[in-house]
Amino acid sequence: MATLRWHLRDRTLDLGRRPLVMGIVNVTPDSFSDGGRFLDPAAAAAHGLKLAADGADLLDVGGESTRPGAEPVPVDEELRRVVPVVAELARHAAVPISVDTMKPEVARACLEAGAAVVNDVGGFRDPRMVAAAAEHRAGVVVMHMQGDPQTMQLDPRYADVVREVGEFFEERLRALAASGIPTDRVCLDPGIGFGKTMDHNFELLANLGAFARLGRPVCLGVSRKGVIGQVCRRPRGERLAGSLAVACFAAARGEAHVLRVHDVAETRDAAVLLDAIDRRRR
Ligand code: HH2
């Protein structure tokens, strides 16, 4: 892989070697695969530390489920869920902390508590999100979503999903650079399952190279998602093999650089193995 760096506040991540593993810490009662397991902030922080010990390169803390049809969470409640967890992890985990939120108040409070990345499934279309990330020189994950989580799966439509997601990224990179977020702080994410049919998801997975060509790291979130379940006919608890297959396919082609996953230890093993093979390529 060529040199690829992602700047987050005072750190720089090197994505040129093996794919990085972003461990998911959901502080929610209703996330699609692990809702309710880590709603208590102490349990969530302990889970985050375990994922760091398992080899996560980043931890992504979220307090609002974005599964299709999920109920929006009021800002006070989301703050109450995530800020103590981010603060605890920023103090005790050696890896950068990301906050998965669409709310500027939450992004700002988490950055003040030590987060280094804002992961916005809304794609930083809200100028207040942009301002919060710019002021703190945070790294950002710009995800593509058609519509919003309440309605996104009702009737997703594209003339050409790969072209439209690519155009969205190009527009975002330009707009963010003009608003104080330089391109070297941006990671792109096609948003698998966010306003997409199964066909759209597979079109995107098969053509991730179109986004890697934009010169920025690509984050891929397929862990335990419906896109795995529908093909493999497995319930959520049995999608690890499928999740790894998709992640490895993309990473081995140099088309995914950050793997957002629930199963960190297993994904880390896969990433390290890919690297061991890749280093010997002639
Ligand atoms: N997927 C989910 C949430 N946030 N962020 C990015 N950048 N990319 C993704 O694919 C992505 C994301 C959904 O997964 P999860 O957090 O496990 O579930 P829930 O939203 O139900 O909490």
Side-chain angles (χ1 to χ4, degrees):
M1 280 192 224
T3 312
L4 191 56
R5 295 206 171 85
W6 186 19
H7 295 286
L8 350 158
R9 298 189 91 162
D10 48 1
R11 299 194 213 211
T12 300
L13 298 183
D14 180 359
L15 297 120
R17 274 252 63 91
R18 62 169 178 81
L20 300 187
V21 180
M22 176 186 256
I24 301 172
V25 181
N26 280 327
V27 199
T28 60
D30 57 344
S31 283
F32 81 95
S33 103
D34 55 2
R37 284 190 61 201
F38 310 110
L39 186 53
D40 169 47
H47 181 58
L49 291 174
K50 159 136 191 345
L51 296 184
D54 282 349
D57 299 292
L58 300 106
L59 295 170
D60 190 35
V61 180
E64 177 176 55
S65 173
T66 49
R67 71 177 202 293
E71 277 299 307
V73 175
V75 64
D76 286 357
E77 174 62 14
E78 196 176 325
L79 285 167
R80 200 187 60 72
R81 289 180 189 173
V82 296
V83 175
V85 179
V86 167
E88 183 73 4
L89 291 175
R91 249 194 312 273
H92 297 294
V95 298
I97 310 305
S98 156
V99 58
D100 181 354
T101 187
M102 289 190 279
K103 296 192 182 72
E105 300 86 342
V106 175
R108 210 172 266 284
C110 288
L111 289 166
E112 278 158 18
V117 175
V118 180
N119 169 23
D120 178 9
V121 301
F124 287 87
R125 280 174 287 198
D126 180 339
R128 296 172 306 153
M129 285 295 276
V130 179
E135 277 165 37
H136 286 85
R137 299 170 42 252
V140 298
V141 180
V142 174
M143 204 199 74
H144 176 273
M145 166 167 60
Q146 189 178 81
D148 58 47
Q150 281 74 55
T151 57
M152 64 188 181
Q153 288 310 104
L154 295 182
D155 186 21
R157 279 168 197 251
Y158 301 84
D160 178 339
V161 66
V162 176
R163 182 173 50 74
E164 286 169 52
V165 171
E167 286 170 359
F168 169 77
F169 287 152
E170 285 175 332
E171 181 277 325
R172 290 285 75 204
L173 285 168
R174 276 195 302 273
L176 293 179
S179 313
I181 303 185
T183 295
D184 61 9
R185 283 192 217 144
V186 182
C187 178
L188 305 170
D189 187 327
I192 300 300
F194 285 83
K196 280 118 190 163
T197 62
M198 281 299 137
D199 233 41
H200 296 140
N201 289 326
F202 276 94
E203 274 286 308
L204 289 168
L205 290 171
N207 296 288
L208 290 173
F211 313 132
R213 273 196 284 279
L214 297 175
R216 295 310 305 147
V218 171
C219 175
L220 186 64
V222 289
S223 182
R224 303 183 188 170
K225 282 187 180 170
V227 66
I228 311 287
Q230 281 218 356
V231 172
C232 299
R233 300 187 183 283
R234 298 274 181 195
R236 286 178 192 126
E238 296 173 17
R239 296 179 184 169
L240 174 58
S243 303
L244 285 174
V246 177
C248 287
F249 172 83
R253 290 159 61 106
E255 296 175 355
H257 312 93
V258 178
L259 306 174
R260 184 183 179 276
V261 300
H262 302 89
D263 300 291
V264 165
E266 294 85 349
T267 310
R268 169 84 183 205
D269 281 355
V272 170
L273 268 167
L274 287 179
D275 181 43
I277 298 167
D278 196 48
R279 279 172 190 273
R280 288 167 177 81
R281 269 212 326 213
R282 298 186 192 157

